[in-house]
Amino acid sequence: PLAFFLDARPVQWVPPFLFALGWSVIVLSVGAITLLYWLLRHGAAANVARLFYLVPPVTALQAWILFGETLDALAGQYRLVLITKGDLFDQERKVAQSGLGDYFNAVEIVSEKSPATYSRVFALHGPGPEQAMMVGNSMKSDIVPAIESGSWGVHVPHRLVWELDHAEAPHEAPRYRSIKHLGELQKTIDEINQ
């Protein structure tokens, strides 16, 4: 309820949001409570406690099957750095609320995403741009300047893109790739490493 008063952004009622909201309310909340009551009514209280140990692995499996979850897999294999642009306090709040910060070895909040910024961040957290890959949904802020710095740029298109973030795809750049969703990222990385 406080979000209506404190958050300036309107809710965008798009299908992925509606699905996530329905999943959270119906499956996770109502389904879990219904299962809990059923187990308690049938004298299986000991089984209820055992089910709590299944929550993390089952959630990870569901995320992988239903949503093509790749961050867990990538975090175990590569050094992941989240690069985001904007107001320091606002971006820190967004990262904290998203729960994504735990997947990343570092979070870099920058005032602009330029080739020089990417070169600096890639050198700070790894061997440099030549061995780095930027994955993002903004052609103008994520992909083009990262490629200009010498790194790989993997575009994950999203239909909700800020008007000022539109740019032509650098199809002629040898280090440019485009994927439909993050579930295809590991395959793209494997192809690049061949």
Side-chain angles (χ1 to χ4, degrees):
L2 290 176
F4 289 113
F5 301 107
L6 300 177
D7 198 358
R9 293 199 177 107
V11 174
Q12 295 180 352
W13 297 93
V14 295
F17 173 73
L18 293 172
F19 176 76
L21 183 63
W23 179 267
S24 296
V25 171
I26 296 169
V27 177
L28 298 182
S29 299
V30 176
I33 296 298
T34 303
L35 178 61
L36 175 65
Y37 283 142
W38 185 86
L39 287 170
L40 290 173
R41 290 180 115 198
H42 290 86
N47 291 337
V48 172
R50 282 190 222 135
L51 288 176
F52 288 113
Y53 293 106
L54 288 176
V55 171
V58 170
T59 303
L61 182 62
Q62 288 175 338
W64 181 72
I65 292 170
L66 296 174
F67 308 116
E69 180 65 58
T70 57
L71 284 178
D72 279 326
L74 292 174
Q77 296 179 342
Y78 304 99
R79 180 167 177 75
L80 301 182
V81 177
L82 176 65
I83 305 171
T84 183
K85 177 177 79 170
D87 175 70
L88 177 67
F89 297 114
D90 187 42
Q91 296 299 73
E92 284 178 341
R93 177 186 58 82
K94 288 178 184 177
V95 171
Q97 287 178 344
S98 73
L100 293 175
D102 295 338
Y103 290 103
F104 295 91
N105 299 92
V107 176
E108 289 286 334
I109 300 171
V110 299
S111 58
E112 82 173 305
K113 289 183 174 179
S114 65
T117 302
Y118 283 113
S119 292
R120 179 186 60 77
V121 171
F122 293 150
L124 180 65
H125 296 286
E130 297 78 20
Q131 297 294 315
M133 174 182 288
M134 177 63 186
V135 180
N137 68 332
S138 170
M139 194 66 71
K140 183 177 180 181
S141 296
D142 298 331
I143 306 308
V144 172
I147 290 174
E148 288 175 359
S149 78
S151 78
W152 290 90
V154 179
H155 185 234
V156 186
H158 192 279
R159 58 187 181 85
L160 299 176
V161 176
W162 192 34
E163 290 177 19
L164 299 176
D165 268 345
H166 287 287
E168 290 296 317
H171 292 290
E172 70 286 346
R175 290 183 155 237
Y176 169 73
R177 299 292 187 275
S178 181
I179 59 178
K180 294 178 184 173
H181 54 81
L182 283 177
E184 296 179 349
L185 184 57
Q186 185 62 59
K187 178 182 171 192
T188 301
I189 293 171
D190 293 342
E191 289 171 0
I192 289 170
N193 286 334
Q194 288 181 358

PDB file of all heavy atoms in Angstrom, residues 81-99:
ATOM      1  N   VAL A  81      29.257  -8.816 -12.930  1.00  0.00           N
ATOM      2  CA  VAL A  81      29.247  -7.448 -12.433  1.00  0.00           C
ATOM      3  C   VAL A  81      27.998  -6.768 -12.984  1.00  0.00           C
ATOM      4  O   VAL A  81      27.770  -6.766 -14.198  1.00  0.00           O
ATOM      5  CB  VAL A  81      30.510  -6.674 -12.873  1.00  0.00           C
ATOM      6  CG1 VAL A  81      30.451  -5.230 -12.396  1.00  0.00           C
ATOM      7  CG2 VAL A  81      31.766  -7.365 -12.358  1.00  0.00           C
ATOM      8  N   LEU A  82      27.203  -6.213 -12.104  1.00  0.00           N
ATOM      9  CA  LEU A  82      26.013  -5.469 -12.506  1.00  0.00           C
ATOM     10  C   LEU A  82      26.419  -4.015 -12.712  1.00  0.00           C
ATOM     11  O   LEU A  82      26.955  -3.381 -11.805  1.00  0.00           O
ATOM     12  CB  LEU A  82      24.928  -5.566 -11.424  1.00  0.00           C
ATOM     13  CG  LEU A  82      23.662  -4.750 -11.659  1.00  0.00           C
ATOM     14  CD1 LEU A  82      22.922  -5.256 -12.884  1.00  0.00           C
ATOM     15  CD2 LEU A  82      22.768  -4.818 -10.437  1.00  0.00           C
ATOM     16  N   ILE A  83      26.175  -3.508 -13.919  1.00  0.00           N
ATOM     17  CA  ILE A  83      26.485  -2.115 -14.239  1.00  0.00           C
ATOM     18  C   ILE A  83      25.158  -1.414 -14.498  1.00  0.00           C
ATOM     19  O   ILE A  83      24.428  -1.783 -15.416  1.00  0.00           O
ATOM     20  CB  ILE A  83      27.402  -1.999 -15.471  1.00  0.00           C
ATOM     21  CG1 ILE A  83      28.676  -2.817 -15.272  1.00  0.00           C
ATOM     22  CG2 ILE A  83      27.734  -0.543 -15.762  1.00  0.00           C
ATOM     23  CD1 ILE A  83      29.550  -2.935 -16.510  1.00  0.00           C
ATOM     24  N   THR A  84      24.864  -0.424 -13.689  1.00  0.00           N
ATOM     25  CA  THR A  84      23.609   0.301 -13.834  1.00  0.00           C
ATOM     26  C   THR A  84      23.880   1.796 -13.781  1.00  0.00           C
ATOM     27  O   THR A  84      24.838   2.239 -13.172  1.00  0.00           O
ATOM     28  CB  THR A  84      22.587  -0.131 -12.752  1.00  0.00           C
ATOM     29  OG1 THR A  84      21.356   0.548 -12.963  1.00  0.00           O
ATOM     30  CG2 THR A  84      23.093   0.146 -11.352  1.00  0.00           C
ATOM     31  N   LYS A  85      23.016   2.546 -14.446  1.00  0.00           N
ATOM     32  CA  LYS A  85      23.198   3.986 -14.566  1.00  0.00           C
ATOM     33  C   LYS A  85      22.076   4.707 -13.821  1.00  0.00           C
ATOM     34  O   LYS A  85      20.923   4.307 -13.893  1.00  0.00           O
ATOM     35  CB  LYS A  85      23.169   4.376 -16.048  1.00  0.00           C
ATOM     36  CG  LYS A  85      23.284   5.860 -16.313  1.00  0.00           C
ATOM     37  CD  LYS A  85      23.319   6.157 -17.792  1.00  0.00           C
ATOM     38  CE  LYS A  85      21.933   6.114 -18.378  1.00  0.00           C
ATOM     39  NZ  LYS A  85      21.874   6.607 -19.753  1.00  0.00           N
ATOM     40  N   GLY A  86      22.451   5.757 -13.096  1.00  0.00           N
ATOM     41  CA  GLY A  86      21.425   6.559 -12.443  1.00  0.00           C
ATOM     42  C   GLY A  86      21.880   7.104 -11.108  1.00  0.00           C
ATOM     43  O   GLY A  86      23.053   7.029 -10.746  1.00  0.00           O
ATOM     44  N   ASP A  87      20.922   7.639 -10.377  1.00  0.00           N
ATOM     45  CA  ASP A  87      21.176   8.187  -9.058  1.00  0.00           C
ATOM     46  C   ASP A  87      21.656   7.084  -8.121  1.00  0.00           C
ATOM     47  O   ASP A  87      21.054   6.001  -8.061  1.00  0.00           O
ATOM     48  CB  ASP A  87      19.891   8.819  -8.511  1.00  0.00           C
ATOM     49  CG  ASP A  87      20.052   9.312  -7.092  1.00  0.00           C
ATOM     50  OD1 ASP A  87      20.765  10.310  -6.899  1.00  0.00           O
ATOM     51  OD2 ASP A  87      19.485   8.667  -6.188  1.00  0.00           O
ATOM     52  N   LEU A  88      22.724   7.339  -7.399  1.00  0.00           N
ATOM     53  CA  LEU A  88      23.351   6.334  -6.542  1.00  0.00           C
ATOM     54  C   LEU A  88      22.363   5.715  -5.564  1.00  0.00           C
ATOM     55  O   LEU A  88      22.219   4.493  -5.492  1.00  0.00           O
ATOM     56  CB  LEU A  88      24.537   6.943  -5.791  1.00  0.00           C
ATOM     57  CG  LEU A  88      25.244   6.026  -4.795  1.00  0.00           C
ATOM     58  CD1 LEU A  88      25.936   4.885  -5.519  1.00  0.00           C
ATOM     59  CD2 LEU A  88      26.257   6.818  -3.978  1.00  0.00           C
ATOM     60  N   PHE A  89      21.658   6.540  -4.803  1.00  0.00           N
ATOM     61  CA  PHE A  89      20.751   6.022  -3.780  1.00  0.00           C
ATOM     62  C   PHE A  89      19.556   5.305  -4.392  1.00  0.00           C
ATOM     63  O   PHE A  89      19.116   4.274  -3.891  1.00  0.00           O
ATOM     64  CB  PHE A  89      20.291   7.146  -2.853  1.00  0.00           C
ATOM     65  CG  PHE A  89      21.425   7.759  -2.081  1.00  0.00           C
ATOM     66  CD1 PHE A  89      21.803   9.068  -2.295  1.00  0.00           C
ATOM     67  CD2 PHE A  89      22.145   7.006  -1.158  1.00  0.00           C
ATOM     68  CE1 PHE A  89      22.864   9.630  -1.601  1.00  0.00           C
ATOM     69  CE2 PHE A  89      23.207   7.557  -0.463  1.00  0.00           C
ATOM     70  CZ  PHE A  89      23.565   8.873  -0.674  1.00  0.00           C
ATOM     71  N   ASP A  90      19.039   5.832  -5.496  1.00  0.00           N
ATOM     72  CA  ASP A  90      17.903   5.204  -6.161  1.00  0.00           C
ATOM     73  C   ASP A  90      18.294   3.833  -6.717  1.00  0.00           C
ATOM     74  O   ASP A  90      17.563   2.855  -6.564  1.00  0.00           O
ATOM     75  CB  ASP A  90      17.386   6.116  -7.272  1.00  0.00           C
ATOM     76  CG  ASP A  90      16.108   5.611  -7.893  1.00  0.00           C
ATOM     77  OD1 ASP A  90      15.211   5.150  -7.148  1.00  0.00           O
ATOM     78  OD2 ASP A  90      15.984   5.676  -9.132  1.00  0.00           O
ATOM     79  N   GLN A  91      19.458   3.757  -7.353  1.00  0.00           N
ATOM     80  CA  GLN A  91      19.905   2.484  -7.925  1.00  0.00           C
ATOM     81  C   GLN A  91      20.243   1.471  -6.832  1.00  0.00           C
ATOM     82  O   GLN A  91      19.956   0.286  -6.978  1.00  0.00           O
ATOM     83  CB  GLN A  91      21.093   2.703  -8.858  1.00  0.00           C
ATOM     84  CG  GLN A  91      20.781   3.543 -10.078  1.00  0.00           C
ATOM     85  CD  GLN A  91      19.715   2.929 -10.964  1.00  0.00           C
ATOM     86  OE1 GLN A  91      18.540   2.916 -10.618  1.00  0.00           O
ATOM     87  NE2 GLN A  91      20.111   2.421 -12.099  1.00  0.00           N
ATOM     88  N   GLU A  92      20.854   1.929  -5.740  1.00  0.00           N
ATOM     89  CA  GLU A  92      21.134   1.017  -4.624  1.00  0.00           C
ATOM     90  C   GLU A  92      19.836   0.435  -4.070  1.00  0.00           C
ATOM     91  O   GLU A  92      19.754  -0.747  -3.761  1.00  0.00           O
ATOM     92  CB  GLU A  92      21.898   1.740  -3.519  1.00  0.00           C
ATOM     93  CG  GLU A  92      23.347   1.975  -3.825  1.00  0.00           C
ATOM     94  CD  GLU A  92      24.073   2.735  -2.728  1.00  0.00           C
ATOM     95  OE1 GLU A  92      23.417   3.405  -1.895  1.00  0.00           O
ATOM     96  OE2 GLU A  92      25.317   2.651  -2.699  1.00  0.00           O
ATOM     97  N   ARG A  93      18.809   1.278  -3.961  1.00  0.00           N
ATOM     98  CA  ARG A  93      17.511   0.818  -3.462  1.00  0.00           C
ATOM     99  C   ARG A  93      16.911  -0.212  -4.418  1.00  0.00           C
ATOM    100  O   ARG A  93      16.422  -1.252  -3.994  1.00  0.00           O
ATOM    101  CB  ARG A  93      16.559   2.008  -3.316  1.00  0.00           C
ATOM    102  CG  ARG A  93      15.152   1.629  -2.863  1.00  0.00           C
ATOM    103  CD  ARG A  93      14.213   2.833  -2.868  1.00  0.00           C
ATOM    104  NE  ARG A  93      14.101   3.486  -4.166  1.00  0.00           N
ATOM    105  CZ  ARG A  93      13.302   3.062  -5.155  1.00  0.00           C
ATOM    106  NH1 ARG A  93      12.570   1.973  -4.997  1.00  0.00           N
ATOM    107  NH2 ARG A  93      13.249   3.711  -6.293  1.00  0.00           N
ATOM    108  N   LYS A  94      16.976   0.055  -5.713  1.00  0.00           N
ATOM    109  CA  LYS A  94      16.418  -0.865  -6.709  1.00  0.00           C
ATOM    110  C   LYS A  94      17.134  -2.217  -6.670  1.00  0.00           C
ATOM    111  O   LYS A  94      16.495  -3.268  -6.747  1.00  0.00           O
ATOM    112  CB  LYS A  94      16.519  -0.270  -8.109  1.00  0.00           C
ATOM    113  CG  LYS A  94      15.562   0.864  -8.367  1.00  0.00           C
ATOM    114  CD  LYS A  94      15.785   1.405  -9.768  1.00  0.00           C
ATOM    115  CE  LYS A  94      14.918   2.593 -10.055  1.00  0.00           C
ATOM    116  NZ  LYS A  94      15.183   3.150 -11.391  1.00  0.00           N
ATOM    117  N   VAL A  95      18.451  -2.191  -6.576  1.00  0.00           N
ATOM    118  CA  VAL A  95      19.219  -3.443  -6.527  1.00  0.00           C
ATOM    119  C   VAL A  95      18.854  -4.219  -5.266  1.00  0.00           C
ATOM    120  O   VAL A  95      18.629  -5.434  -5.306  1.00  0.00           O
ATOM    121  CB  VAL A  95      20.735  -3.171  -6.600  1.00  0.00           C
ATOM    122  CG1 VAL A  95      21.538  -4.432  -6.322  1.00  0.00           C
ATOM    123  CG2 VAL A  95      21.108  -2.606  -7.968  1.00  0.00           C
ATOM    124  N   ALA A  96      18.763  -3.524  -4.141  1.00  0.00           N
ATOM    125  CA  ALA A  96      18.424  -4.191  -2.876  1.00  0.00           C
ATOM    126  C   ALA A  96      17.021  -4.783  -2.933  1.00  0.00           C
ATOM    127  O   ALA A  96      16.803  -5.923  -2.511  1.00  0.00           O
ATOM    128  CB  ALA A  96      18.544  -3.205  -1.717  1.00  0.00           C
ATOM    129  N   GLN A  97      16.060  -4.056  -3.479  1.00  0.00           N
ATOM    130  CA  GLN A  97      14.682  -4.538  -3.537  1.00  0.00           C
ATOM    131  C   GLN A  97      14.514  -5.682  -4.528  1.00  0.00           C
ATOM    132  O   GLN A  97      13.663  -6.538  -4.340  1.00  0.00           O
ATOM    133  CB  GLN A  97      13.731  -3.397  -3.899  1.00  0.00           C
ATOM    134  CG  GLN A  97      13.516  -2.415  -2.783  1.00  0.00           C
ATOM    135  CD  GLN A  97      12.609  -1.261  -3.194  1.00  0.00           C
ATOM    136  OE1 GLN A  97      12.366  -1.022  -4.369  1.00  0.00           O
ATOM    137  NE2 GLN A  97      12.122  -0.540  -2.200  1.00  0.00           N
ATOM    138  N   SER A  98      15.324  -5.690  -5.570  1.00  0.00           N
ATOM    139  CA  SER A  98      15.187  -6.728  -6.593  1.00  0.00           C
ATOM    140  C   SER A  98      15.683  -8.084  -6.108  1.00  0.00           C
ATOM    141  O   SER A  98      15.258  -9.113  -6.612  1.00  0.00           O
ATOM    142  CB  SER A  98      15.965  -6.345  -7.855  1.00  0.00           C
ATOM    143  OG  SER A  98      17.363  -6.466  -7.643  1.00  0.00           O
ATOM    144  N   GLY A  99      16.592  -8.077  -5.142  1.00  0.00           N
ATOM    145  CA  GLY A  99      17.177  -9.333  -4.686  1.00  0.00           C
ATOM    146  C   GLY A  99      18.235  -9.878  -5.629  1.00  0.00           C
ATOM    147  O   GLY A  99      18.761 -10.970  -5.417  1.00  0.00           O
TER     148      GLY A  99
END
